Coordinates of all heavy atoms in Angstrom, one line a residue:
M1 N -31.1 -15.0 -58.5 CA -30.2 -15.7 -57.6 C -29.4 -14.6 -56.8 O -28.9 -13.7 -57.3 CB -29.2 -16.6 -58.3 CG -28.3 -17.3 -57.4 SD -27.1 -18.2 -58.4 CE -25.8 -18.5 -57.1
K2 N -29.4 -14.8 -55.5 CA -28.6 -13.9 -54.7 C -27.6 -14.6 -53.8 O -27.8 -15.8 -53.4 CB -29.6 -13.1 -53.7 CG -30.3 -12.0 -54.5 CD -31.1 -11.2 -53.5 CE -31.8 -10.0 -54.3 NZ -32.7 -9.2 -53.4
V3 N -26.5 -14.0 -53.6 CA -25.5 -14.5 -52.7 C -25.2 -13.4 -51.6 O -25.6 -12.3 -51.8 CB -24.2 -14.8 -53.5 CG1 -24.4 -15.9 -54.5 CG2 -23.6 -13.5 -54.1
N4 N -24.6 -13.9 -50.5 CA -24.3 -12.9 -49.5 C -22.8 -12.4 -49.7 O -21.9 -13.2 -49.9 CB -24.4 -13.5 -48.1 CG -25.9 -13.7 -47.8 OD1 -26.7 -12.9 -48.2 ND2 -26.2 -14.7 -47.0
C5 N -22.6 -11.1 -49.6 CA -21.3 -10.6 -49.7 C -20.4 -11.2 -48.6 O -20.8 -11.2 -47.4 CB -21.4 -9.0 -49.5 SG -19.8 -8.2 -49.3
P6 N -19.3 -11.7 -49.0 CA -18.4 -12.4 -48.0 C -17.9 -11.4 -46.9 O -17.5 -11.8 -45.8 CB -17.2 -12.9 -48.8 CG -17.7 -13.0 -50.2 CD -18.7 -11.9 -50.3
T7 N -17.9 -10.1 -47.2 CA -17.3 -9.1 -46.3 C -18.4 -8.6 -45.4 O -18.2 -8.6 -44.1 CB -16.7 -8.0 -47.1 OG1 -15.7 -8.5 -47.9 CG2 -16.1 -7.0 -46.1
C8 N -19.6 -8.2 -45.9 CA -20.5 -7.5 -45.0 C -21.9 -8.3 -44.9 O -22.8 -7.8 -44.3 CB -20.8 -6.1 -45.5 SG -21.7 -6.0 -47.1
E9 N -22.0 -9.4 -45.6 CA -23.1 -10.3 -45.5 C -24.4 -9.7 -46.2 O -25.5 -10.3 -46.1 CB -23.5 -10.6 -44.0 CG -22.3 -11.2 -43.2 CD -22.0 -12.6 -43.6 OE1 -22.9 -13.4 -43.7 OE2 -20.8 -12.9 -43.8
K10 N -24.2 -8.6 -46.9 CA -25.3 -8.0 -47.6 C -25.7 -8.9 -48.8 O -24.8 -9.5 -49.5 CB -24.9 -6.6 -48.1 CG -26.0 -5.7 -48.6 CD -25.5 -4.4 -48.9 CE -26.0 -3.9 -50.2 NZ -25.4 -2.5 -50.6
A11 N -27.0 -9.0 -49.1 CA -27.5 -9.8 -50.3 C -27.0 -9.1 -51.6 O -27.2 -7.9 -51.8 CB -29.0 -9.9 -50.3
V12 N -26.4 -9.9 -52.5 CA -25.9 -9.4 -53.7 C -26.5 -10.2 -54.9 O -26.5 -11.4 -54.9 CB -24.4 -9.5 -53.8 CG1 -23.8 -9.0 -55.1 CG2 -23.7 -8.8 -52.6
E13 N -27.2 -9.5 -55.8 CA -27.8 -10.1 -56.9 C -26.6 -10.7 -57.8 O -25.7 -10.0 -58.1 CB -28.6 -9.1 -57.7 CG -29.5 -9.7 -58.8 CD -30.7 -10.4 -58.3 OE1 -31.3 -9.9 -57.3 OE2 -31.0 -11.5 -58.8
W14 N -26.7 -11.9 -58.2 CA -25.7 -12.6 -59.0 C -26.0 -12.3 -60.4 O -26.8 -13.0 -61.1 CB -25.6 -14.1 -58.7 CG -24.4 -14.7 -59.3 CD1 -24.3 -15.2 -60.6 CD2 -23.1 -14.8 -58.7 NE1 -23.1 -15.7 -60.8 CE2 -22.3 -15.5 -59.7 CE3 -22.6 -14.5 -57.5 CZ2 -21.0 -15.8 -59.4 CZ3 -21.3 -14.8 -57.2 CH2 -20.5 -15.4 -58.2
G15 N -25.4 -11.2 -61.0 CA -25.7 -10.9 -62.4 C -24.8 -9.8 -62.8 O -23.9 -9.3 -62.1
E16 N -25.1 -9.3 -64.0 CA -24.3 -8.2 -64.6 C -24.4 -6.9 -63.8 O -23.5 -6.1 -63.9 CB -24.8 -7.9 -66.1 CG -24.5 -9.1 -67.0 CD -23.1 -9.4 -67.1 OE1 -22.2 -8.5 -67.2 OE2 -22.7 -10.6 -67.0
M17 N -25.4 -6.7 -63.1 CA -25.6 -5.5 -62.3 C -24.7 -5.5 -61.0 O -24.5 -4.5 -60.4 CB -27.0 -5.3 -61.8 CG -27.6 -6.2 -60.8 SD -27.8 -7.9 -61.4 CE -29.3 -7.7 -62.3
S18 N -24.0 -6.6 -60.8 CA -23.1 -6.7 -59.6 C -21.7 -7.1 -60.1 O -21.3 -8.2 -60.0 CB -23.6 -7.8 -58.6 OG -25.0 -7.5 -58.3
P19 N -21.0 -6.1 -60.6 CA -19.7 -6.4 -61.2 C -18.7 -6.9 -60.2 O -17.7 -7.5 -60.6 CB -19.2 -5.0 -61.8 CG -20.0 -4.0 -61.1 CD -21.3 -4.7 -60.7
Y20 N -18.9 -6.7 -58.9 CA -17.9 -7.1 -57.9 C -18.4 -8.4 -57.2 O -17.8 -8.8 -56.2 CB -17.7 -6.0 -56.9 CG -17.2 -4.7 -57.6 CD1 -18.0 -3.6 -57.7 CD2 -15.9 -4.7 -58.1 CE1 -17.6 -2.5 -58.3 CE2 -15.5 -3.5 -58.7 CZ -16.3 -2.4 -58.9 OH -15.9 -1.3 -59.5
R21 N -19.4 -9.1 -57.7 CA -19.9 -10.3 -57.1 C -18.8 -11.3 -56.9 O -17.9 -11.4 -57.7 CB -21.1 -10.9 -57.9 CG -20.6 -11.3 -59.3 CD -21.9 -11.7 -60.2 NE -21.5 -12.2 -61.5 CZ -21.3 -11.4 -62.5 NH1 -21.4 -10.1 -62.4 NH2 -20.9 -11.9 -63.7
P22 N -18.7 -12.1 -55.9 CA -19.8 -12.1 -54.8 C -19.8 -11.0 -53.8 O -20.6 -11.0 -52.9 CB -19.5 -13.5 -54.1 CG -18.0 -13.5 -54.2 CD -17.6 -12.9 -55.5
F23 N -19.0 -10.0 -54.0 CA -19.0 -8.9 -53.1 C -20.0 -7.8 -53.6 O -20.3 -7.7 -54.7 CB -17.6 -8.2 -53.1 CG -16.5 -9.2 -52.7 CD1 -15.7 -9.8 -53.7 CD2 -16.2 -9.5 -51.4 CE1 -14.7 -10.7 -53.4 CE2 -15.2 -10.4 -51.1 CZ -14.5 -11.0 -52.1
C24 N -20.5 -7.1 -52.6 CA -21.6 -6.1 -52.9 C -21.0 -4.8 -53.6 O -21.6 -4.1 -54.2 CB -22.3 -5.7 -51.7 SG -21.4 -4.7 -50.5
S25 N -19.7 -4.6 -53.3 CA -19.1 -3.4 -53.9 C -17.6 -3.6 -54.0 O -17.0 -4.6 -53.4 CB -19.3 -2.2 -52.9 OG -18.7 -2.5 -51.7
K26 N -16.9 -2.7 -54.7 CA -15.5 -2.8 -54.8 C -14.8 -2.7 -53.4 O -13.8 -3.3 -53.2 CB -15.0 -1.6 -55.7 CG -13.5 -1.7 -56.0 CD -13.1 -0.6 -56.9 CE -11.6 -0.8 -57.3 NZ -11.1 0.3 -58.2
K27 N -15.4 -1.8 -52.5 CA -14.9 -1.7 -51.2 C -14.8 -3.0 -50.5 O -13.8 -3.3 -49.9 CB -15.8 -0.7 -50.4 CG -15.1 -0.2 -49.1 CD -15.9 0.8 -48.4 CE -16.8 0.2 -47.4 NZ -17.5 1.2 -46.5
C28 N -15.9 -3.8 -50.5 CA -15.9 -5.1 -49.8 C -14.9 -6.0 -50.5 O -14.3 -6.8 -49.8 CB -17.3 -5.7 -49.8 SG -18.3 -4.9 -48.6
Q29 N -14.8 -5.9 -51.8 CA -13.8 -6.8 -52.5 C -12.4 -6.4 -52.0 O -11.6 -7.3 -51.7 CB -13.9 -6.5 -54.0 CG -13.0 -7.4 -54.8 CD -13.1 -7.1 -56.3 OE1 -13.0 -5.9 -56.7 NE2 -13.2 -8.1 -57.1
L30 N -12.1 -5.1 -51.9 CA -10.8 -4.7 -51.4 C -10.5 -5.1 -50.0 O -9.4 -5.5 -49.6 CB -10.6 -3.2 -51.6 CG -10.5 -2.8 -53.1 CD1 -10.4 -1.3 -53.2 CD2 -9.3 -3.4 -53.8
I31 N -11.6 -5.0 -49.2 CA -11.5 -5.4 -47.8 C -11.0 -6.9 -47.7 O -10.1 -7.3 -46.9 CB -12.8 -5.2 -47.0 CG1 -13.1 -3.7 -46.8 CG2 -12.8 -6.0 -45.6 CD1 -14.4 -3.5 -46.2
D32 N -11.7 -7.7 -48.5 CA -11.4 -9.1 -48.5 C -9.9 -9.3 -49.0 O -9.2 -10.2 -48.5 CB -12.3 -9.9 -49.5 CG -12.3 -11.3 -49.2 OD1 -12.7 -11.8 -48.2 OD2 -11.7 -12.0 -50.1
L33 N -9.5 -8.5 -49.9 CA -8.1 -8.7 -50.3 C -7.1 -8.1 -49.3 O -5.9 -8.3 -49.4 CB -7.9 -8.0 -51.7 CG -8.7 -8.6 -52.9 CD1 -8.6 -7.7 -54.1 CD2 -8.1 -9.9 -53.2
G34 N -7.6 -7.3 -48.4 CA -6.8 -6.8 -47.4 C -6.2 -5.4 -47.7 O -5.6 -4.8 -46.9
E35 N -6.4 -5.0 -49.0 CA -5.8 -3.7 -49.4 C -6.5 -2.5 -48.8 O -5.9 -1.6 -48.2 CB -5.9 -3.6 -50.9 CG -5.0 -4.7 -51.6 CD -5.2 -4.6 -53.1 OE1 -5.8 -3.6 -53.6 OE2 -4.8 -5.5 -53.8
W36 N -7.8 -2.6 -48.9 CA -8.6 -1.4 -48.3 C -8.3 -1.3 -46.9 O -8.1 -0.2 -46.4 CB -10.1 -1.7 -48.6 CG -11.0 -0.6 -48.1 CD1 -11.3 0.6 -48.8 CD2 -11.6 -0.5 -46.9 NE1 -12.1 1.3 -48.1 CE2 -12.3 0.7 -46.9 CE3 -11.7 -1.3 -45.8 CZ2 -13.1 1.1 -45.8 CZ3 -12.5 -0.9 -44.7 CH2 -13.2 0.3 -44.7
A37 N -8.3 -2.4 -46.1 CA -8.1 -2.4 -44.7 C -6.8 -1.7 -44.3 O -6.8 -0.9 -43.4 CB -8.2 -3.8 -44.1
N38 N -5.8 -2.0 -45.1 CA -4.5 -1.4 -44.8 C -4.5 0.1 -45.0 O -3.9 0.8 -44.3 CB -3.4 -2.1 -45.7 CG -3.2 -3.5 -45.2 OD1 -3.4 -3.9 -44.1 ND2 -2.7 -4.4 -46.1
E39 N -5.1 0.5 -46.1 CA -5.2 1.9 -46.4 C -6.0 2.7 -45.4 O -5.6 3.7 -44.9 CB -5.8 2.1 -47.8 CG -4.9 1.9 -48.9 CD -5.6 2.0 -50.3 OE1 -6.6 2.8 -50.3 OE2 -5.2 1.3 -51.2
E40 N -7.1 2.1 -45.0 CA -8.0 2.8 -44.1 C -7.5 2.9 -42.7 O -7.7 3.9 -42.0 CB -9.4 2.2 -44.1 CG -10.2 2.4 -45.4 CD -10.5 3.9 -45.7 OE1 -11.1 4.5 -44.8 OE2 -10.1 4.4 -46.7
K41 N -6.8 1.9 -42.3 CA -6.3 1.8 -40.9 C -5.3 2.9 -40.7 O -5.2 3.4 -39.6 CB -5.6 0.5 -40.6 CG -6.6 -0.6 -40.1 CD -5.9 -1.9 -39.9 CE -6.9 -3.1 -39.8 NZ -6.3 -4.3 -40.0
A42 N -4.6 3.3 -41.7 CA -3.6 4.3 -41.6 C -4.2 5.7 -41.3 O -3.5 6.6 -40.8 CB -2.7 4.4 -42.9
I43 N -5.4 5.9 -41.7 CA -6.0 7.3 -41.6 C -6.5 7.6 -40.2 O -6.0 8.6 -39.6 CB -7.2 7.5 -42.6 CG1 -6.6 7.4 -44.0 CG2 -7.9 8.8 -42.4 CD1 -7.6 7.3 -45.1
P44 N -7.3 6.8 -39.5 CA -7.8 7.2 -38.2 C -6.8 7.2 -37.1 O -6.9 7.9 -36.1 CB -9.0 6.2 -37.9 CG -8.8 5.1 -38.9 CD -7.9 5.6 -40.0
V45 N -5.7 6.4 -37.3 CA -4.7 6.3 -36.2 C -3.9 7.6 -36.2 O -3.3 8.0 -37.2 CB -3.8 5.1 -36.5 CG1 -2.6 5.1 -35.5 CG2 -4.6 3.8 -36.4
K46 N -3.9 8.2 -35.0 CA -3.2 9.5 -34.9 C -1.8 9.2 -34.5 O -1.5 8.5 -33.5 CB -3.9 10.3 -33.8 CG -5.3 10.8 -34.2 CD -5.5 12.2 -33.7 CE -6.8 12.8 -34.3 NZ -6.7 14.1 -34.8
S47 N -0.9 9.8 -35.3 CA 0.5 9.7 -35.0 C 0.9 10.8 -34.0 O 0.1 11.7 -33.8 CB 1.3 9.9 -36.3 OG 1.2 11.2 -36.7
P48 N 2.0 10.6 -33.3 CA 2.5 11.7 -32.4 C 2.5 13.0 -33.0 O 2.3 14.1 -32.4 CB 3.8 11.2 -31.9 CG 3.8 9.7 -32.1 CD 2.9 9.5 -33.3
Q49 N 2.9 13.0 -34.3 CA 3.0 14.2 -35.1 C 1.6 14.9 -35.2 O 1.5 16.1 -35.1 CB 3.5 13.9 -36.5 CG 4.1 15.1 -37.2 CD 4.7 14.7 -38.5 OE1 4.4 13.7 -39.1 NE2 5.6 15.6 -39.0
D50 N 0.5 14.1 -35.4 CA -0.8 14.7 -35.5 C -1.2 15.3 -34.1 O -1.8 16.3 -34.0 CB -1.8 13.6 -35.9 CG -1.7 13.2 -37.3 OD1 -1.1 14.0 -38.1 OD2 -2.1 12.1 -37.7
Q51 N -0.9 14.6 -33.0 CA -1.2 15.1 -31.7 C -0.5 16.4 -31.5 O -1.1 17.4 -31.0 CB -0.7 14.1 -30.6 CG -1.3 12.7 -30.7 CD -2.8 12.7 -30.3 OE1 -3.3 13.7 -29.8 NE2 -3.4 11.5 -30.4
A52 N 0.7 16.6 -31.9 CA 1.4 17.8 -31.8 C 0.8 18.9 -32.6 O 0.7 20.0 -32.2 CB 2.9 17.6 -32.2
A53 N 0.3 18.5 -33.8 CA -0.3 19.5 -34.7 C -1.6 20.1 -34.1 O -1.9 21.2 -34.4 CB -0.7 18.8 -36.0
A54 N -2.2 19.4 -33.2 CA -3.4 19.9 -32.6 C -3.1 21.1 -31.7 O -4.0 22.0 -31.5 CB -4.1 18.8 -31.7
N55 N -1.9 21.2 -31.3 CA -1.5 22.4 -30.4 C -0.8 23.5 -31.2 O -0.4 24.4 -30.6 CB -0.6 21.9 -29.3 CG -1.2 20.8 -28.4 OD1 -2.4 21.0 -28.1 ND2 -0.5 19.8 -28.0
M56 N -0.7 23.3 -32.5 CA 0.0 24.2 -33.3 C -1.0 25.3 -33.9 O -2.2 25.1 -34.0 CB 0.7 23.5 -34.5 CG 1.8 22.6 -34.0 SD 2.4 21.6 -35.3 CE 3.3 22.7 -36.3
D57 N -0.4 26.4 -34.3 CA -1.2 27.4 -35.0 C -1.5 26.9 -36.4 O -0.8 26.1 -37.0 CB -0.4 28.7 -35.2 CG -0.2 29.4 -33.8 OD1 -1.1 29.2 -32.9 OD2 0.7 30.1 -33.7
I58 N -2.6 27.4 -37.0 CA -3.1 26.9 -38.3 C -2.0 27.2 -39.3 O -1.8 26.4 -40.2 CB -4.4 27.5 -38.7 CG1 -5.0 26.8 -39.9 CG2 -4.3 29.0 -38.9 CD1 -5.6 25.5 -39.6
E59 N -1.3 28.3 -39.2 CA -0.3 28.6 -40.2 C 0.9 27.6 -40.1 O 1.4 27.2 -41.1 CB 0.3 30.0 -39.9 CG -0.7 31.1 -40.4 CD -0.4 32.5 -39.8 OE1 0.8 32.7 -39.5 OE2 -1.3 33.3 -39.7
D60 N 1.2 27.2 -38.9 CA 2.3 26.2 -38.7 C 1.9 24.9 -39.4 O 2.6 24.2 -40.0 CB 2.6 25.9 -37.2 CG 3.3 27.1 -36.6 OD1 3.9 27.9 -37.4 OD2 3.2 27.3 -35.4
I61 N 0.6 24.5 -39.2 CA 0.1 23.3 -39.7 C 0.1 23.3 -41.2 O 0.6 22.3 -41.9 CB -1.4 23.0 -39.2 CG1 -1.3 22.8 -37.7 CG2 -2.0 21.8 -39.9 CD1 -2.7 22.7 -37.1
E62 N -0.3 24.4 -41.8 CA -0.3 24.6 -43.3 C 1.1 24.5 -43.8 O 1.4 23.8 -44.8 CB -1.0 25.9 -43.7 CG -2.5 25.8 -43.6 CD -3.2 27.1 -43.9 OE1 -2.4 28.1 -44.0 OE2 -4.4 27.2 -43.9
A63 N 2.0 25.1 -43.1 CA 3.4 25.0 -43.5 C 3.9 23.6 -43.5 O 4.6 23.1 -44.4 CB 4.3 25.9 -42.6
M64 N 3.6 22.9 -42.4 CA 4.0 21.5 -42.3 C 3.4 20.6 -43.4 O 4.1 19.8 -44.0 CB 3.6 21.0 -40.9 CG 4.2 19.7 -40.5 SD 3.5 19.1 -38.9 CE 1.9 18.6 -39.4
L65 N 2.1 20.9 -43.7 CA 1.5 20.1 -44.7 C 2.1 20.3 -46.1 O 2.3 19.4 -46.8 CB 0.0 20.4 -44.7 CG -0.8 19.8 -43.5 CD1 -2.3 20.3 -43.6 CD2 -0.8 18.3 -43.5
S66 N 2.4 21.5 -46.4 CA 3.0 21.8 -47.7 C 4.4 21.2 -47.8 O 4.7 20.7 -48.9 CB 3.0 23.3 -47.9 OG 3.9 23.9 -47.0
E67 N 5.1 21.2 -46.7 CA 6.4 20.5 -46.7 C 6.2 19.0 -47.0 O 6.9 18.4 -47.8 CB 7.1 20.6 -45.4 CG 7.8 22.0 -45.2 CD 8.3 22.2 -43.8 OE1 8.6 21.2 -43.1 OE2 8.5 23.3 -43.4
Q68 N 5.2 18.4 -46.3 CA 5.0 17.0 -46.5 C 4.6 16.7 -48.0 O 5.0 15.7 -48.5 CB 3.8 16.5 -45.6 CG 4.3 16.4 -44.2 CD 3.2 15.9 -43.2 OE1 2.1 15.9 -43.6 NE2 3.6 15.4 -42.0
E69 N 3.7 17.6 -48.6 CA 3.3 17.3 -49.9 C 4.5 17.4 -50.9 O 4.6 16.6 -51.8 CB 2.3 18.4 -50.4 CG 0.9 18.0 -49.9 CD -0.1 19.2 -50.0 OE1 0.2 20.1 -50.8 OE2 -1.1 19.2 -49.3
Q70 N 5.4 18.3 -50.6 CA 6.6 18.4 -51.4 C 7.4 17.1 -51.3 O 7.9 16.6 -52.3 CB 7.4 19.6 -51.0 CG 6.8 20.9 -51.6 CD 7.4 22.2 -50.9 OE1 8.5 22.1 -50.3 NE2 6.8 23.3 -51.1
D71 N 7.6 16.7 -50.1 CA 8.3 15.4 -49.9 C 7.6 14.3 -50.7 O 8.3 13.4 -51.3 CB 8.4 15.0 -48.4 CG 9.4 16.0 -47.7 OD1 10.2 16.6 -48.4 OD2 9.3 16.0 -46.5
F72 N 6.3 14.3 -50.6 CA 5.5 13.2 -51.2 C 5.8 13.1 -52.7 O 5.9 12.1 -53.3 CB 4.1 13.4 -50.9 CG 3.2 12.3 -51.4 CD1 3.2 11.1 -50.7 CD2 2.4 12.4 -52.5 CE1 2.4 10.0 -51.1 CE2 1.6 11.4 -52.9 CZ 1.6 10.2 -52.2
F73 N 5.8 14.3 -53.3 CA 5.9 14.3 -54.8 C 7.4 14.3 -55.3 O 7.6 14.2 -56.5 CB 5.2 15.5 -55.4 CG 3.7 15.4 -55.2 CD1 3.0 16.3 -54.4 CD2 3.0 14.5 -55.9 CE1 1.6 16.2 -54.3 CE2 1.6 14.4 -55.8 CZ 0.9 15.2 -55.0
K74 N 8.3 14.3 -54.3 CA 9.7 14.3 -54.7 C 10.0 12.9 -55.3 O 9.7 11.9 -54.6 CB 10.5 14.5 -53.5 CG 11.7 15.5 -53.7 CD 12.5 15.7 -52.4 CE 12.0 17.0 -51.7 NZ 12.7 17.2 -50.4
P75 N 10.7 12.8 -56.4 CA 11.1 11.5 -56.9 C 12.1 10.9 -56.0 O 13.1 11.6 -55.5 CB 11.7 11.8 -58.3 CG 12.0 13.2 -58.3 CD 11.1 13.9 -57.3
S76 N 12.0 9.6 -55.6 CA 12.9 9.0 -54.7 C 14.2 8.5 -55.4 O 14.1 8.2 -56.6 CB 12.2 7.9 -54.0 OG 11.6 7.0 -54.9
Ligands
ZN1 ZN1 -20.3 -6.0 -48.9

């Protein structure tokens, strides 16, 4: 028995080999839940900061990134 993935319409075998049924994959399951979409949308969209980074020296970019990582891991 096969069903179509609600997200991408791909045929999915309805059985133990398809743990994410009726979705073809965890990705499609997350898309349906809206979680994956929210995460992925944030990546390709270039912020003004990213545009500025394109004009910066690689050393400046690395310094900026290391600062961001430190902020990220800082306990709030
Ligand atoms: Zn799918």
Side-chain angles (χ1 to χ4, degrees):
M1 180 186 161
K2 282 187 177 176
V3 296
N4 287 332
C5 171
T7 303
C8 71
E9 306 288 314
K10 194 173 133 183
V12 180
E13 190 74 41
W14 190 271
E16 291 303 312
M17 72 290 283
S18 305
Y20 302 109
R21 63 188 182 274
F23 304 96
C24 69
S25 64
K26 187 178 185 181
K27 192 174 96 169
C28 282
Q29 186 184 42
L30 291 177
I31 289 171
D32 193 70
L33 292 172
E35 293 178 13
W36 182 86
N38 290 337
E39 281 175 29
E40 289 297 303
K41 273 178 193 162
I43 294 169
V45 174
K46 292 218 174 225
S47 67
Q49 202 176 17
D50 288 337
Q51 300 285 356
N55 298 322
M56 292 167 77
D57 291 335
I58 192 75
E59 285 164 25
D60 290 335
I61 295 170
E62 281 174 357
M64 190 183 73
L65 287 176
S66 63
E67 279 172 26
Q68 284 181 345
E69 278 168 24
Q70 280 164 18
D71 286 345
F72 184 75
F73 289 113
K74 224 178 262 175
S76 52

